[in-house]
Amino acid sequence: MTSPDFIRRAWETVHGYPMVYAFAINWERIEQFQCRPEDIWIITYPKSGTTWVSEVMDLIKNDGSVEKQEKIPINQRVPMMEAAAPGVLPSGTEYLENMPSPRFVKSHLPISLLPKNFWESNCKVIYLARNAKDVAVSYYNFDRMNKFHPEPGTFAEYLEKFMSGNVAYGSWYEHVTSWWEKKKDHPILYLFYEDIKEDPKREIRKVMQFLGKKWDEEALDRIVQHTSFEAMKENSMVNYSLLPTTLMDHSISPFMRKGIAGDWKNYFTVAQNEKFDGDYEKKMSGTTLKFRTEI
Ligand code: A3P
């Protein structure tokens, strides 16, 4: 396969946010996307465990039966609305338009970039957040292997870009805090990566309840087992290994990389950590939202 022309392109700006070049082409398809009231969204800042919770949601929908999950890649079961690889793959909106309800929709969009009729449709949202330091490390490694994104440079250079919001989808700080506020007037289940890591059963029960599914201990056990990091790392339907290496090169860094809380300690120097903490305190001073950077 020859390299498509969106490979390693600089971010495109969409309404003030840095956006993946391939996704920004024909942005009207996002603005005009028809939400349905029965849609259920999984929204996250990138690298917060979206694939993990998407797989959990889809298993809950199917009462823990893995039959469909073993045959169909996650991006076709829980399509990412804004995703596009022109000339290579169908776009997220194309997958979604052809899906029967109730659909699961994945997105990383900040509040102001959502489709025009998103709020009117009042659909349920699961928002998943992960602590900023682990997101920065995971995003850095993702940019190294994901050729939809420009090269991240060194980790030191990347960390500066992360703090200033010069990464795809913009500022982590703005994303997690604005969705936290939105909880007050929209049906949002706000989850934390670290909580799921700590007690997957407890958190998956919350998702079941939110989705209106009856609690069944046996199905729950199957879901926990099927969505462990070890199981998902080996599962080609969720680990993105089916994508051509022209798009994602897992030999540089696998998509299912470490799957832990606290890996930032292997990356941040003492000086970087101090600077990051000082900046964090300022940016997060107005919110009640609290994160754990280890468990
Ligand atoms: P790391 O790079 O820290 O390993 P997203 O799906 O939003 O892109 O997030 C990807 C991150 O979630 C990666 O983090 C990946 O390893 C982690 N992840 C995916 N599945 C997981 C699971 N079942 N358990 C724990 N972490 C998981």
Side-chain angles (χ1 to χ4, degrees), residues 22-49:
F23 300 179
I25 300 166
N26 182 21
W27 192 256
E28 302 85 76
R29 76 190 192 288
I30 306 302
E31 288 172 352
Q32 302 306 329
F33 178 71
Q34 291 304 302
C35 302
R36 304 176 193 158
E38 33 332 330
D39 288 342
I40 296 165
W41 289 61
I42 165 73
I43 302 185
T44 66
Y45 189 82
K47 310 322 292 174
S48 302

Side-chain angles (χ1 to χ4, degrees), residues 3-166:
S3 264
D5 74 348
F6 55 77
I7 294 299
R8 292 294 186 201
R9 293 282 288 260
W11 310 126
E12 185 72 39
T13 304
V14 174
H15 299 298
Y17 289 88
M19 182 50 61
V20 179
Y21 180 86
F23 300 179
I25 300 166
N26 182 21
W27 192 256
E28 302 85 76
R29 76 190 192 288
I30 306 302
E31 288 172 352
Q32 302 306 329
F33 178 71
Q34 291 304 302
C35 302
R36 304 176 193 158
E38 33 332 330
D39 288 342
I40 296 165
W41 289 61
I42 165 73
I43 302 185
T44 66
Y45 189 82
K47 310 322 292 174
S48 302
T50 332
T51 316
W52 188 10
V53 170
S54 300
E55 184 71 346
V56 166
M57 289 163 67
D58 199 39
L59 283 163
I60 292 174
K61 186 175 170 183
N62 293 292
D63 297 311
S65 154
V66 295
E67 207 181 311
K68 210 175 89 202
Q69 279 71 10
E70 282 171 350
K71 295 193 197 100
I72 307 174
I74 189 74
N75 66 317
Q76 291 174 39
R77 289 182 278 120
V78 187
M80 177 172 163
M81 188 200 45
E82 66 273 19
V88 184
L89 296 168
S91 67
T93 49
E94 281 171 298
Y95 280 128
L96 286 161
E97 278 155 13
N98 294 316
M99 262 175 102
S101 290
R103 303 179 296 189
F104 284 152
V105 187
K106 163 182 162 181
S107 180
H108 295 309
L109 291 183
I111 286 176
S112 60
L113 291 191
L114 282 165
K116 288 194 175 120
N117 75 348
F118 178 86
W119 302 107
E120 292 151 33
S121 69
N122 204 38
C123 43
K124 286 184 177 176
V125 174
I126 296 180
Y127 187 88
L128 171 68
R130 184 183 192 185
N131 80 78
K133 292 178 183 178
D134 281 330
V135 168
V137 167
S138 183
Y139 216 175
Y140 166 68
N141 283 296
F142 189 54
D143 280 8
R144 291 171 56 229
M145 63 84 78
N146 176 10
K147 299 178 186 174
F148 285 82
H149 293 189
E151 292 277 2
T154 63
F155 181 68
E157 287 162 351
Y158 183 79
L159 200 55
E160 293 295 325
K161 292 185 226 175
F162 182 88
M163 285 192 277
S164 62
N166 188 17

